[in-house]
């Protein structure tokens, strides 16, 4: 719940600044308190009057404002918040944040704060792709700054690509996630969503097993994002390195067969997302005792048996969830293979990604996915895994609300 939470909202100067007004409205509807700060450039796009009226609070604009300093100095202002949000975060503001400049009220607050900072970048696609911007972004992420968006699509400047401000609803979800608070009226309230995650371990003998490089980061981020939209989440996870999120029903399993049993036991569900990297095969006759190395003895030969396909099983299940989402990790011809997989497995959507070693995705912090539905393929930009999760969670919420056909 965001009720009683204090958000310091810094509005930068970009055409997307108008969306910050909607963000203020959403935050207020959640019961949050919004303290708005408008940069000089921001005030060229939205008026202080609109911002103040929606926030129900005075707008801070000037570092050397005597009245404001007398009432509350800028150091206090930067700390009397639960979260600092920069939306839109312009290329210039991000550069100044990354460089540690403090030459106006916004940048001074960002330097002086002891709270977490969430940025929602918005800019022209070339600016977003510029090495200087990406360098600054990497620095900010390394400094612990959270980032939501940008979205990809048509831009006000007539170009197309990543750079659009994330939708206010997605920023709201990111704020909820950053504060660790579920939204009071999340769109998934009352819904049960099942998520599988992590690798499976298939025993060879009691001490050895076959596994894969899945870290479970994407699945954990998904469970968290779904939780933050108000869902009751059952999180069935293999032995992952990523920590499981709080506030979900956690079921730990080792093998594919245990995972299937746990998933079936958790039904019914409104939606199920199969993000686990389930081992396709298990060792046919796993040894009951540790296999011994013996001089001169023949080397062991492992014989495999096929594991159950959990995604396909649930897609054809009598208690099939209304929306079934699978993942496809491919190393070549990603979209075509994933489209075929969607049909073969009988699921509604496939989230496809390139896990070739060159992509650095498997086990990495970022993901570049294609969302494949019955009638289209969406190419999402390379994004931090939590951001992929937030976007997917919002799409699931839309689909379950009937806003978008699955
Ligand atoms: O066939 P492939 O392993 O590429 O399919 C990936 C998708 O199928 C993922 O969503 C994964 O969680 C799911 N899967 C499964 N059970 C298996 C193998 C894959 O649920 N045995």
């Amino acid at each position: 719940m965001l009720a009683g939470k204090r958000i310091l909202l810094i509005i930068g100067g970009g055409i997307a600044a108008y969306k910050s007004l909607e963000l203020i409205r959403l935050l207020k509807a959640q019961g949050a308190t919004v303290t708005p700060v408008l940069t000089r450039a921001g005030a060229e796009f939205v008026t202080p009057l609109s911002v103040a009226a929606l926030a129900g609070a005075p707008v801070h604009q000037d570092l050397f404002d005597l009245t404001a300093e007398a009432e509350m100095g800028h150091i206090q202002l930067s700390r009397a918040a639960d979260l600092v949000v920069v939306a839109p975060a312009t290329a210039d503001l991000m550069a100044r944040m990354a460089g540690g400049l403090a030459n106006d009220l916004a940048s001074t607050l960002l330097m002086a704060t002891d709270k977490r900072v969430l940025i929602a970048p918005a800019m022209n696609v070339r600016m977003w792709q510029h090495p200087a911007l990406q360098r600054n972004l990497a620095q900010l992420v390394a400094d612990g700054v959270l980032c939501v968006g940008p979205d990809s699509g048509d831009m006000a400047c007539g170009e197309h690509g990543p750079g659009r401000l994330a939708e206010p609803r997605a920023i709201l979800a990111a704020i909820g996630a950053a504060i660790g608070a579920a939204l009071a009226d999340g769109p998934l309230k009352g819904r049960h969503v099942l998520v599988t995650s992590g690798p499976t371990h298939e025993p060879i003998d009691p001490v050895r097993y076959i596994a894969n490089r899945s870290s479970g980061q994407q699945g954990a981020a998904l469970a968290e994002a779904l939780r933050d939209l108000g869902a009751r989440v059952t999180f069935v996870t293999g032995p992952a390195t990523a920590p499981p999120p709080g506030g979900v029903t956690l079921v730990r399993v080792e093998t594919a067969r245990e995972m299937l049993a746990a998933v079936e036991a958790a039904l019914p569900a409104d939606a199920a997302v199969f993000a686990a990297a389930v081992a396709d095969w298990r060792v046919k006759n796993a040894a009951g005792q540790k296999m011994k190395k013996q001089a001169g003895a023949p080397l062991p030969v492992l014989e495999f048996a096929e594991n159950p396909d959990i995604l396909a099983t649930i897609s054809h299940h009598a208690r099939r969830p209304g929306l079934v989402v699978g993942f496809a990790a491919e190393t070549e011809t990603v979209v075509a293979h994933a489209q075929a997989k969607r049909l073969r497995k009988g699921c509604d959507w496939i989230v496809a990604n390139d896990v070739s070693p060159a992509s650095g995705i498997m086990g990495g912090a970022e993901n570049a996915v294609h969302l494949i539905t019955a009638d289209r393929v969406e190419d999402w930009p390379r994004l931090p895994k939590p951001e992929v999760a937030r976007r997917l969670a919002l799409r699931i919420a839309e689909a379950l609300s009937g806003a978008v056909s699955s």
Side-chain angles (χ1 to χ4, degrees):
M1 307 251 285
L2 290 180
K5 298 291 181 192
R6 296 155 305 168
I7 308 298
L8 182 68
L9 175 64
I10 296 173
I11 304 172
I15 188 68
Y18 74 94
K19 288 192 191 170
S20 63
L21 299 178
E22 172 66 0
L23 177 62
I24 295 174
R25 202 188 60 73
L26 290 172
L27 283 166
K28 296 289 288 182
Q30 290 280 329
T33 306
V34 180
T35 304
V37 175
L38 199 49
T39 65
R40 192 183 294 268
E44 299 287 336
F45 292 90
V46 289
T47 70
L49 189 58
S50 312
V51 175
L54 281 166
V59 182
H60 300 268
Q61 290 182 270
D62 195 352
L63 184 56
F64 304 110
D65 182 327
L66 268 183
T67 321
E69 282 301 306
E71 283 168 6
M72 185 195 249
H74 57 259
I75 303 284
Q76 277 162 283
L77 186 60
S78 75
R79 298 187 184 169
D82 294 299
L83 182 72
V84 181
V85 179
V86 188
T90 60
D92 176 68
L93 204 40
M94 286 171 66
R96 285 189 285 135
M97 286 174 76
L101 297 192
N103 54 0
D104 67 355
L105 180 61
S107 52
T108 304
L109 293 174
L110 286 159
M111 278 292 280
T113 190
D114 57 355
K115 297 297 169 5
R116 298 185 88 182
V117 176
L118 170 74
I119 59 171
M123 66 200 67
N124 167 273
V125 55
R126 297 265 170 264
M127 292 170 78
W128 174 254
Q129 289 166 342
H130 196 285
L133 185 287
Q134 290 297 321
R135 209 163 50 233
N136 290 333
L137 176 65
Q139 183 61 58
L140 291 172
V141 171
D143 291 345
V145 171
L146 304 167
C147 183
V148 52
D151 282 349
S152 196
D154 291 329
M155 316 208 50
C157 54
E159 292 187 51
H160 183 89
R164 282 161 58 115
L165 184 71
E167 285 307 316
R169 190 86 225 176
I171 302 176
L172 182 71
I175 292 171
I179 296 183
L183 302 184
D185 62 347
L188 288 174
K189 188 164 186 267
R191 302 289 196 168
H192 178 212
V193 184
L194 186 63
V195 178
T196 71
S197 182
T200 60
H201 284 183
E202 308 295 335
I204 298 171
D205 67 16
V207 296
R208 302 183 179 92
Y209 57 83
I210 292 177
N212 60 62
R213 294 186 197 281
S214 166
S215 63
Q217 284 181 71
Q218 188 62 84
L222 253 165
E224 199 168 334
L226 290 160
R227 176 204 70 192
D228 289 340
L229 293 185
R232 178 168 70 83
V233 177
T234 301
F235 185 59
V236 181
T237 179
T241 49
V248 300
T249 304
L250 177 64
V251 187
R252 290 185 196 271
V253 296
E254 288 251 327
T255 67
R257 287 186 295 177
E258 286 170 12
M259 186 173 275
L260 175 59
V263 165
E264 286 190 294
L267 294 176
D270 296 287
V273 188
F274 294 90
V278 184
D280 289 319
W281 309 286
R282 64 177 180 277
V283 177
K284 197 166 182 181
N285 294 311
Q289 303 297 330
K290 185 184 172 200
M291 291 159 66
K292 296 278 185 219
K293 188 168 76 171
Q294 280 165 358
L299 292 175
V301 175
L302 298 180
E303 199 185 335
F304 289 98
E306 199 166 335
N307 264 333
D309 190 313
I310 304 167
L311 172 61
T313 306
I314 300 304
S315 293
H316 297 98
H317 204 276
R319 288 187 291 160
R320 183 191 197 277
L323 180 68
V324 178
V325 183
F327 273 67
E330 306 284 353
T331 54
E332 53 173 353
T333 340
V334 176
V335 169
H337 281 163
Q339 281 171 317
K341 189 168 289 178
R342 195 187 78 80
L343 295 174
R344 200 168 60 242
K345 302 239 185 185
C347 58
D348 299 301
W349 298 351
I350 283 272
V351 182
N353 56 14
D354 179 354
V355 293
S356 57
S359 74
I361 280 174
M362 199 118 177
E366 291 187 330
N367 211 348
V369 308
H370 311 270
L371 179 64
I372 294 164
T373 66
D375 51 15
R376 61 180 182 271
V377 177
E378 290 176 25
D379 304 323
W380 292 9
R382 194 176 173 111
L383 295 164
K385 287 180 177 174
E387 182 52 27
V388 172
R390 271 192 287 271
R391 291 179 189 212
L392 192 59
L394 282 170
R395 294 298 295 271
I396 290 170
E398 278 173 15
L400 291 187
S401 74
V404 169
S405 73
S406 58

